[in-house]
Amino acid sequence: MGSFKTLLNYFSQKLTSSICLTMQKSVSGELTEKRHAYYNIWKNFIQGRLTYVYKTEGHEMAPSIPGQQEMLLVRRLPFLPYADLRQKFKRVFVGDVIVLKHPLDPKTHLVRRVVADGGYEMATTDEKDDPFILDDEEFWVLSDNKDLKKGEAKDSRAFGPITLKDIVGRVIYRMQSAEDHGPIENSEESKVDDEAVLNVELDVDEMAKSFKS
């Protein structure tokens, strides 16, 4: 299960996630009384999980995710409804492999790597395109597969920067088969927290069952 420090980190993240999800419901009007909010926090903390299993297809993220079909363990990153809290509790970093809603088709999810965030100056090899700077809470995402052309990769080169609201979660583990599986290389900033989540919620046997089904 891990050390006391690891468990403390995990439960701290779980409490933060529960509060965040409750904030979302309060802002949307789903929760109108404090007692409902407290109950929702408690329910999410006791019953909820920070991760879910997601099936991906394609070679866009090879070699990081090499299989044509793989099961991914994704840690949820619920959107904080208040800007000051989002600045204080930054949870997406350059280097992270994320699940995002396709900006042009929100019902479709993609797996891509964050290569730049707010404040980065972006430039292309095309002299016709002027350089520009990413705004706060904007991210530039790319496919890891360098063999794919711009149109094939379905990344920011095709649809531009994404926003924080587009991000669903961060991929922390992959499985191609019962013999071929392992953690995903993400940013150093997210490493300690993700390791704590993996330590508690990773169940390789359950992922294998999901893959077979």
Side-chain angles (χ1 to χ4, degrees):
M1 182 63 79
S3 67
F4 175 76
K5 185 177 180 180
T6 298
L7 289 175
L8 188 63
N9 182 328
Y10 169 75
F11 286 117
S12 174
Q13 292 185 70
K14 200 170 184 183
L15 179 59
T16 300
S17 179
S18 299
I19 293 172
C20 180
L21 289 169
T22 301
M23 282 182 178
Q24 287 181 342
K25 288 190 174 183
S26 295
V27 170
S28 67
E30 293 180 61
L31 298 174
T32 57
E33 296 184 24
K34 276 189 176 181
R35 61 189 178 91
H36 293 155
Y38 292 142
Y39 172 75
N40 197 72
I41 291 172
W42 176 252
K43 181 180 178 181
N44 283 327
F45 183 75
I46 297 300
Q47 299 180 0
R49 289 174 58 88
L50 294 178
T51 61
Y52 67 96
V53 176
Y54 173 75
K55 185 177 182 179
T56 186
E57 298 182 357
H59 291 297
E60 288 89 351
M61 288 303 293
S64 304
I65 304 173
Q68 175 63 29
Q69 290 187 343
E70 297 219 18
M71 301 306 296
L72 307 178
L73 189 67
V74 181
R75 65 159 301 170
R76 295 179 174 89
L77 296 174
F79 181 76
L80 282 163
Y82 302 109
D84 55 340
L85 290 178
R86 293 197 298 271
Q87 291 176 357
K88 185 175 182 180
F89 298 103
K90 184 177 179 182
R91 292 178 296 170
V92 180
F93 305 93
V94 172
D96 287 346
V97 175
I98 60 170
V99 176
L100 64 128
K101 300 173 187 173
H102 194 307
L104 305 179
D105 181 13
K107 292 182 180 179
T108 301
H109 287 186
L110 303 173
V111 178
R112 298 293 182 267
R113 189 180 298 276
V114 176
V115 298
D117 59 7
Y120 272 70
E121 182 176 16
M122 309 303 298
T124 70
T125 55
D126 190 338
E127 295 181 357
K128 298 178 182 178
D129 296 331
D130 293 328
F132 63 93
I133 296 176
L134 292 176
D135 292 335
D136 290 342
E137 300 188 359
E138 280 191 336
F139 303 87
W140 196 261
V141 297
L142 293 179
S143 160
D144 274 4
N145 192 335
K146 306 304 180 187
D147 294 331
L148 296 179
K149 296 178 181 179
K150 176 180 175 180
E152 300 171 325
K154 300 178 203 172
D155 55 24
S156 286
R157 291 171 293 176
F159 49 69
I162 66 168
T163 68
L164 192 58
K165 276 190 174 182
D166 295 322
I167 297 175
V168 178
R170 180 166 54 244
V171 182
I172 58 177
Y173 204 86
R174 52 160 290 270
M175 171 177 282
Q176 185 173 358
S177 67
E179 296 75 32
D180 183 2
H181 56 87
I184 293 291
E185 182 178 347
N186 286 306
S187 65
E188 283 297 318
E189 291 89 341
S190 63
K191 186 175 181 179
V192 173
D193 286 348
D194 288 351
E195 284 179 349
V197 175
L198 276 174
N199 195 278
V200 177
E201 296 198 3
L202 175 63
D203 188 331
V204 173
D205 292 336
E206 282 299 316
M207 286 188 71
K209 289 178 184 177
S210 298
F211 191 85
K212 291 176 183 177
S213 61

